[in-house]
Amino acid sequence: MVLISGSGSNLQKLIDASLVSNYKISAVISNRPDAFGLQRAERSNVPTRIVDHKSFESREAFDNFLANIIDEINPQLIVLAGFMRILGGDFVNRFSGKILNIHPSLLPKYPGINTHQRALDAGDTEHGVSIHFVTPDLDGGPIIAQGNVPIYKNDTAEVLAARVLEKEHLIYPKVVTWFASGRLRMHKGSAIMDNEALPPCGVIIQS
Ligand code: NHR
Ligand code: GAR
């Protein structure tokens, strides 16, 4: 299943790839009622749910409700794809080793939000995307894969975000396919691929 908050372009790539791959998307849940990704899912006959964080009194109440719905769906994997709510430790530990996130930076650089502007402000010449297992440590879980993109002078945050997004679209379906085929798992705080711990930056995906 996939958790979204917005446009859902990564979701679209995951849906497209699922048609020719080894996994099926059981459901899409958005915390935002107006997320365009919900329409993408409906168009492809993927069941959708809205769990609006604004209708809960606390983060814990939101997390609990979300966790109970996910238990009903009983997915093998929870894929965060542009999901913008921080999840508490109880939630994450309940689904330990079964949550992936795509983050638009070369972690450990720039956890959190506004990553593209922060990379520009720092004068970086390179930026990119990381896919990691989700742990209670925000954007700090073991990295599975990274993809790099160049930063050119005169880049704006928007232009740079679009360049990173292209790379995201290439690598997220690959990683989900690895997980679905049983090649990828989290064990003792490391990402394991084909029974070997990956290096700290994960698999570097070129092209
Ligand atoms: N939860 C845990 N426990 N661990 C992670 O690694 C997580 C996570 C939840 C989401 C995605 C992450 C990203 O890729 C993610 C990773 C939202 C925020 C944030 O500050 C930060 C990181 C990420 C997602 N959210 C604000 C909040 O108060 C709301 C911001 C908004 O709505 O625009 O939750 O970047
Ligand atoms: C993507 O760039 C993703 O990496 C980023 O939001 C965008 C969502 O695009 N995620 C985060 O910033 C998580 N905090 P999409 O909805 O079109 O897939």
Side-chain angles (χ1 to χ4, degrees), residues 32 53 59 80 83-89 92 101-104 111-113 132-141:
R32 292 198 179 270
H53 61 276
R59 284 183 179 270
L80 311 192
F83 182 67
M84 295 306 294
R85 295 302 292 176
I86 296 171
L87 298 162
V92 171
N101 179 44
I102 190 157
H103 180 76
I113 57 180
H132 63 92
F133 282 105
V134 170
T135 66
D137 179 16
L138 186 67
D139 293 327

Side-chain angles (χ1 to χ4, degrees), residues 43-58:
R43 214 194 286 148
S44 296
N45 295 313
V46 176
T48 60
R49 298 284 298 255
I50 295 165
V51 183
D52 185 349
H53 61 276
K54 289 183 186 139
S55 28
F56 295 85
E57 284 208 343
S58 64

Side-chain angles (χ1 to χ4, degrees), residues 36-180:
F36 181 65
L38 289 168
Q39 294 180 43
R40 297 182 191 271
E42 278 158 20
R43 214 194 286 148
S44 296
N45 295 313
V46 176
T48 60
R49 298 284 298 255
I50 295 165
V51 183
D52 185 349
H53 61 276
K54 289 183 186 139
S55 28
F56 295 85
E57 284 208 343
S58 64
R59 284 183 179 270
E60 293 69 35
F62 169 78
D63 281 4
N64 255 317
F65 190 89
L66 185 60
N68 288 335
I69 288 186
I70 293 175
D71 274 340
E72 278 171 32
I73 298 167
N74 194 25
Q76 283 166 288
L77 181 66
I78 300 165
V79 176
L80 311 192
F83 182 67
M84 295 306 294
R85 295 302 292 176
I86 296 171
L87 298 162
D90 288 350
F91 180 99
V92 171
N93 289 331
R94 189 153 155 185
F95 303 106
S96 181
K98 295 171 74 170
I99 316 176
L100 302 184
N101 179 44
I102 190 157
H103 180 76
S105 81
L106 294 172
L107 290 169
K109 277 188 158 183
Y110 316 125
I113 57 180
N114 271 324
T115 57
H116 309 298
Q117 191 59 53
R118 284 153 73 199
L120 291 173
D121 291 347
D124 292 358
T125 56
E126 196 182 49
H127 189 41
V129 52
S130 306
I131 296 177
H132 63 92
F133 282 105
V134 170
T135 66
D137 179 16
L138 186 67
D139 293 327
I143 297 173
I144 299 159
Q146 289 190 321
N148 304 43
V149 302
I151 296 182
Y152 301 117
K153 61 174 190 287
N154 303 325
D155 271 353
T156 61
E158 289 70 33
V159 166
L160 182 55
R163 195 176 300 134
V164 172
L165 195 58
E166 254 182 66
K167 194 61 91 166
E168 295 184 32
H169 293 164
L170 282 176
I171 85 179
Y172 219 177
K174 274 192 192 154
V175 170
V176 171
T177 298
W178 291 342
F179 188 94

